[in-house]
Structure formats: C-alpha cells, structure tokens
Amino acid sequence: MVAEKIARQGLTIRHVGVVITMMLAMLTATGIVFTAAGLCYRPVAQHFGVQTSQVALYITCVYLAQAIGATPAGWLFDKFNPKVVCVIASLMIVVPYFGFAFYPAIWCYWVAGFVIGLGLVCVEFTMTAGILSRWFHTNYGTVTGIVFAMTGVGGVIWNLIGQFVLGPDLQGWRDLYLFFGT
C-alpha cells in the first residue's frame, strides 16, 4: 500500500499571527525576567542591607522552579485548554514580578522567583514549542529560532528602558518593577 502524503497548508495570516504572538511572549516575559534581571540587584541589595548575591538568588529560584515544573507544565498543556494554562502561567509571572516593588523582605523575592519560574517554564518553553509544533510541520527549527531570538532583542530593549527608568542614582528600582510588571 502506498503511503498517502499529507497535504500541507501554506503560510497564512494565522501562521504569521502565531509567530508574532510567540515572539511577543519571548520579548516580554523572557526578555524582562532573564535579560533585565540584573538592573535592580544593587539598589534592592542596598534597600534590604544584604549582599547583591542574595538578591540574585531569586533567579536561581526561577531556574529551580523551571527544572521542577517542566514536566508538569507539559502535562498541563496537553491535558487542559492551552489558552487557559497560558493565561494562568502568565499571571504566575506578572503578579509576583509586580510585587518586587512592594515585598518587605528579601526571602519574598526568592518565593516570587520560584512562582515566576513555574509560570515561565510554561510560557517560555512549553507554550512556544507546543504551539509552534502544532502550526509548523516544516521549517519548525527556523520559526523557533526566530521566536527565541526575541529573548536577545528583549535584552537590548528592556535594559535600555530600564536604565532610563532607574535613573543615575538607581532610586527608580520600584518604578522599574512596576513598569516591567505591567
């Protein structure tokens, strides 16, 4: 029996919309959380009277949560409506990040980092890979590369904006967290 060829749909406006949506997710969520993280380390450390390394520990918590949450995130993405999972995951990033402007102790940053990591693993990897693989059967690698390149673009954009919001005396760190959180 001769195997039937699956007819592939050509590139449509919906394909382009999917790529743009994934690019925006990488530009914002990943670009802000990872590539602009160091902007506030010094002023937050000064505010709490701790070493800069204690502030940076929240990024370690983000990575730890991603390591723990990667498999469950994939399972959730497959079992439930991906739109609902992605909205909840996005809220798990935005709400604790917004809270960085208000937390009363450094340990709150670590807990928030863990929650952010659980949300980010879904948005950064599970959502992106899952959705792109459903839409692009050919050129998947190219499209994924284009989408993930936005992480670097986000690093450029958010670091430039962040330096402006922080100001020369670094006193705008709360404003920066509020700006990035929204």
Side-chain angles (χ1 to χ4, degrees), residues 146-157:
I146 291 168
V147 167
F148 274 90
M150 296 311 291
T151 302
V153 172
V156 171
I157 293 170

Side-chain angles (χ1 to χ4, degrees), residues 26-64:
M26 292 298 105
L27 177 77
T28 54
T30 307
I32 289 172
V33 171
F34 288 129
T35 60
L39 288 170
C40 294
Y41 287 173
R42 274 193 311 151
V44 171
Q46 290 170 351
H47 173 75
F48 287 115
V50 298
Q51 296 287 326
T52 305
S53 60
Q54 288 185 297
V55 179
L57 188 59
Y58 92 83
I59 287 293
T60 302
C61 295
V62 170
Y63 284 121
L64 177 64

Side-chain angles (χ1 to χ4, degrees), residues 9-132:
Q9 181 180 19
L11 187 65
T12 66
I13 190 70
R14 293 181 78 193
H15 287 87
V16 173
V18 167
V19 171
I20 290 172
T21 301
M22 298 300 105
M23 289 170 72
L24 289 173
M26 292 298 105
L27 177 77
T28 54
T30 307
I32 289 172
V33 171
F34 288 129
T35 60
L39 288 170
C40 294
Y41 287 173
R42 274 193 311 151
V44 171
Q46 290 170 351
H47 173 75
F48 287 115
V50 298
Q51 296 287 326
T52 305
S53 60
Q54 288 185 297
V55 179
L57 188 59
Y58 92 83
I59 287 293
T60 302
C61 295
V62 170
Y63 284 121
L64 177 64
Q66 286 188 314
I68 293 169
T71 301
W75 178 81
L76 289 170
F77 192 79
D78 288 338
K79 180 127 174 103
F80 298 102
N81 183 338
K83 291 177 187 174
V84 173
V85 172
C86 291
V87 166
I88 292 170
S90 297
L91 289 172
M92 291 173 68
I93 298 167
V94 171
V95 172
Y97 198 91
F98 190 77
F100 283 153
F102 305 104
Y103 295 137
I106 195 63
W107 65 266
C108 298
Y109 281 66
W110 306 335
V111 173
F114 193 83
V115 175
I116 289 169
L118 291 175
L120 197 59
V121 74
C122 185
V123 170
E124 182 182 11
F125 298 115
T126 309
M127 177 187 78
T128 304
I131 290 175
L132 290 177

Side-chain angles (χ1 to χ4, degrees), residues 160-167 171-173 175-177 179-180:
L160 289 172
I161 292 171
Q163 290 173 20
F164 176 75
V165 175
L166 271 174
Q171 293 303 309
W173 65 271
D175 295 331
L176 184 59
Y177 280 131
F179 177 75
F180 280 172

